[in-house]
Amino acid sequence: MFFIDTMEFEGLGNRGYLAGGPSAAVVIDPPRDIDQVIAAAARRGVRIAYVAETHVHNDYVTGGLELARVTGAAYLVPAGARVAFARTPVADGDTVTVDEGLVLRAIATPGHTPHHTSYALVDDGRGVGAFTGGSLLIGTVGRPDLVEPRLTEQLARAQHASAHRLADELDDETPVLPTHGFGSFCSSSQAEGDATTIGKERATNDALRLDVDTFVAQMLAGLDDVPAYYAHMGPANAAGPAPVDLTPPQRADAEEIASRLAAGEWVVDLRSRMAFAEGHVAGSFNFEGEGKLATYLAWLIPWGKPVTLLADTPEQISHAQRELARVGIDRPAAAVTGDPTGWVRAGEQLASFPRARFADLAQVRERGEDVVALDVRRDSERAGGFIDGSVHIPIHELHGRISEVPDGVVWVHCAGGMRAAIAASLLDAAGRDVVAVDDGFDAAGEAGLPLTRPDCTG
């Protein structure tokens, strides 16, 4: 009997897998915090015999090298990947026996990267899973533009061919088990649904339904922004990541927080956007611990800038440390939890700003008040419609473009509220009067705010 366990990493929008038989297993695309992988194998009572990477990852730091070292597993890495450490190179068609009757076969699937490799898991001659990494995803494929701009079209064409190869070689009933597609920006579009098979993808995935020229044209036209921190992930993975250190950071007091802010360091408040708006340390930034913390903090922060974390509980700090280590932000400079009134020095007050709905913005505009509506969504989102007269600066560009925000009270919005809260904290720290619109964008039209929809014709 075989098993396949899925490991979800919602903060990054990725998955990893533990698959094996009665006594041994393989881990596919593990996270950097390997303790949970080791615990999953212990629960199954299996030895980790192999650790396999589908590619050198662009969106997170792998735990594969350290997991192989700790467990004694063979570390399978595509032969075409340029890496600086010893590993077992894997070429197209190579096989390893994971457990009795359970074989893992490498299938070259270039496209997401030139060396990308998928793995078919075969139990007694029957295909029981395809670990497709950033190749064939649920309803889409991995994006081809993360390696080198000059290779993008070539890799897009390779994605089409790789998807067809998987569909040709694997049975329709074979489960497709991708790493990307659940919120990761490594996906060319986001997955619809939670599970799929080769047969389902054959019927619905554009890579398998469209001719190559149409597919490539559509994919290249739809590519979204690339998080800035991706530039650091590939080199870190190719060099061989250091072991992760999740021990608690040193405790900060009000004086240290003030001094770190004065030094230009980042002080990040992990509390809910509601709590932050009500009262926070002036100059601190709000990245909710329950939101896309790793993606957006790593995207916005100047790389290597020290980070001090503020939170309600030690558990929130611990969770944030784990999330941030996955994207190479290894050690918080300091941290503190508890009552935020203790985070400011004697005689100082917490800062605050109001939250509102789109209906409130509509009323303010109706009264003729001179306010700035700031849209911090991505270009692709704004292309679907925006509030007439709004200023557009995507959230990942705002920190360097605050001087471009017109004078006046800034009503900042996104699609749902989380990014607006980040933006509001950046503006508030810069001394601007700000209102965070905590609302779904659909409510803008319902509130009577005039919208422009550039993609509509006729």
Side-chain angles (χ1 to χ4, degrees):
M1 288 294 292
F2 75 92
F3 70 87
I4 300 175
D5 291 342
T6 300
M7 298 176 287
E8 298 266 7
F9 310 113
E10 294 182 7
L12 293 176
N14 286 328
R15 291 177 175 178
Y17 300 92
L18 174 72
S23 60
V26 58
V27 179
I28 310 289
D29 289 345
R32 190 164 184 211
D33 46 324
I34 62 172
D35 54 336
Q36 60 185 310
V37 182
I38 293 170
R43 287 192 295 271
R44 283 286 187 178
V46 294
R47 173 178 60 91
I48 296 176
Y50 298 94
V51 177
E53 303 282 7
T54 57
H55 59 294
V56 175
H57 300 282
N58 291 295
D59 64 329
Y60 69 92
V61 180
T62 182
L65 181 63
E66 180 66 3
L67 182 61
R69 186 189 70 79
V70 168
T71 62
Y75 191 25
L76 311 181
V77 177
R82 295 174 178 266
V83 295
F85 49 83
R87 89 287 197 199
T88 301
V90 177
D92 186 44
D94 286 352
T95 62
V96 295
T97 299
V98 178
D99 207 336
E100 186 175 352
L102 192 64
V103 174
L104 193 71
R105 176 169 65 93
I107 305 172
T109 49
H112 187 48
T113 66
H115 61 265
H116 190 284
T117 300
S118 299
Y119 299 92
L121 188 66
V122 181
D123 181 47
D124 290 331
R126 178 176 64 95
V128 294
F131 302 105
T132 55
S135 182
L136 187 65
L137 312 183
I138 300 179
T140 185
V141 294
R143 61 193 298 170
D145 60 328
L146 301 180
V147 177
E148 158 61 52
R150 292 170 294 182
L151 296 179
T152 296
E153 182 174 348
Q154 175 186 329
L155 290 176
R157 291 181 178 276
Q159 277 291 47
H160 187 271
S162 292
H164 280 265
R165 182 181 180 191
L166 290 169
D168 291 344
E169 293 191 11
L170 302 174
D171 295 336
D172 278 356
E173 296 76 25
T174 306
V176 174
L177 304 165
T179 300
H180 302 315
F182 309 96
S184 168
F185 282 85
C186 272
S187 175
S188 59
S189 61
Q190 294 313 309
E192 294 185 7
D194 194 57
T196 192
T197 62
I198 290 291
K200 288 179 182 176
E201 291 309 302
R202 192 191 305 281
T204 60
N205 195 310
D206 281 350
L208 298 172
R209 294 173 57 249
L210 302 177
D211 67 87
V212 62
D213 290 334
T214 304
F215 167 75
V216 169
Q218 289 190 6
M219 175 193 270
L220 298 185
L223 291 173
D224 214 332
D225 300 300
V226 178
Y229 71 92
Y230 277 24
H232 305 281
M233 300 297 95
N237 287 323
V244 67
D245 179 4
L246 296 177
T247 57
Q250 71 177 45
R251 188 180 184 282
D253 58 18
E255 286 291 344
E256 182 173 358
I257 292 170
S259 114
R260 290 188 177 278
L261 283 169
E265 297 182 13
W266 278 36
V267 173
V268 172
D269 192 323
L270 302 170
R271 295 176 301 146
S272 74
R273 55 186 182 259
M274 293 76 77
F276 183 88
E278 289 175 4
H280 57 269
V281 177
S284 63
F285 302 140
N286 182 214
F287 291 79
E288 290 179 300
E290 298 304 314
K292 290 274 189 181
L293 169 67
T295 295
Y296 284 102
L297 179 54
W299 196 340
L300 271 65
I301 192 170
W303 199 250
K305 180 80 73 173
V307 179
T308 295
L309 300 178
L310 315 179
D312 289 316
T313 66
E315 290 75 22
Q316 287 177 325
I317 298 291
S318 177
H319 174 75
Q321 269 190 270
R322 189 175 289 270
E323 287 280 312
L324 295 176
R326 291 172 181 165
V327 292
I329 300 176
D330 279 8
R331 292 289 299 162
V336 66
T337 61
D339 186 344
T341 58
W343 303 344
V344 292
R345 295 173 293 192
E348 295 179 340
Q349 300 296 316
L350 294 172
S352 64
F353 54 76
R355 295 165 52 245
R357 301 287 186 182
F358 281 112
D360 302 311
L361 176 57
Q363 290 178 4
V364 166
R365 281 187 153 194
E366 286 172 9
R367 292 197 297 265
E369 295 185 28
D370 184 19
V371 299
V372 179
L374 175 63
D375 181 351
V376 296
R377 296 175 300 160
R378 297 187 301 277
D379 291 344
S380 58
E381 296 172 284
R382 187 170 171 88
F386 56 86
I387 297 169
D388 287 359
S390 60
V391 176
H392 181 226
I393 303 177
I395 181 64
H396 57 276
E397 298 177 9
L398 180 60
H399 188 246
R401 297 179 59 189
I402 286 178
S403 63
E404 298 177 28
V405 180
D407 293 338
V409 179
V410 183
W411 288 60
V412 59
H413 80 85
C414 59
M418 180 193 75
R419 288 172 294 172
I422 297 172
S425 72
L426 297 176
L427 290 159
D428 178 73
R432 296 298 302 270
D433 288 331
V434 64
V435 178
V437 179
D438 194 355
D439 209 351
F441 187 70
D442 288 346
E446 295 167 4
L449 288 164
L451 302 180
T452 296
R453 299 191 182 276
D455 57 349
C456 292
T457 58

